Amino acid sequence: MSNVIEWVLEMNVQEGQAAMVQPLLDEMVKATQADEPGALHYEYYMPEDRSTCTVLERYADNAAVMTHLGNFGAKFADRFLTAFTPVRFTVYGPANDEVMSALAGFGATNQKLVSGFSR
């Protein structure tokens, strides 16, 4: 059984915020890569019109998620929520109550592994 927690967060770009998106994402990626060794996968995807954004994130365990959320809250949350409106947030894996409580404001739901493997 894996301790890995991953999620897919789908968002709309808020009206009038398109210009701030790329600098914010670049800053967030740089900080996460530098400061969070438990962040295993951290990628943002957007269509050509840049009207929506999908985030794929994977963390080593619940502690790594909480480290990320602490950094996110302290450094980026206000600007992030000015730029984006969450539409769908699905968390995969053994996210504990602390993690799910911390993500509740984004409307996150959790799906537990029922079968499969990871190499």
Side-chain angles (χ1 to χ4, degrees), residues 3-91:
N3 290 325
V4 171
I5 312 281
E6 51 194 330
W7 62 66
V8 177
L9 171 57
E10 298 173 53
M11 305 172 293
N12 290 327
V13 175
Q14 293 196 36
E15 181 116 6
Q17 299 301 313
M20 76 174 286
V21 167
Q22 193 64 54
L24 174 61
L25 297 182
D26 291 344
E27 184 181 349
M28 290 176 63
V29 168
K30 183 178 179 181
T32 301
Q33 186 173 25
D35 301 334
E36 300 178 26
L40 307 176
H41 186 96
Y42 191 73
E43 296 180 332
Y44 288 81
Y45 294 88
M46 298 180 81
E48 196 162 323
D49 71 2
R50 301 184 67 85
S51 62
T52 64
C53 184
T54 300
V55 189
L56 307 178
E57 300 183 37
R58 183 178 300 127
Y59 296 91
D61 53 27
N62 285 286
V65 170
M66 293 309 296
T67 296
H68 175 71
L69 294 177
N71 290 337
F72 172 79
K75 300 175 186 177
F76 304 111
D78 290 339
R79 290 182 286 157
F80 189 87
L81 293 172
T82 297
F84 299 108
T85 302
V87 174
R88 182 177 303 126
F89 194 167
T90 307
V91 178

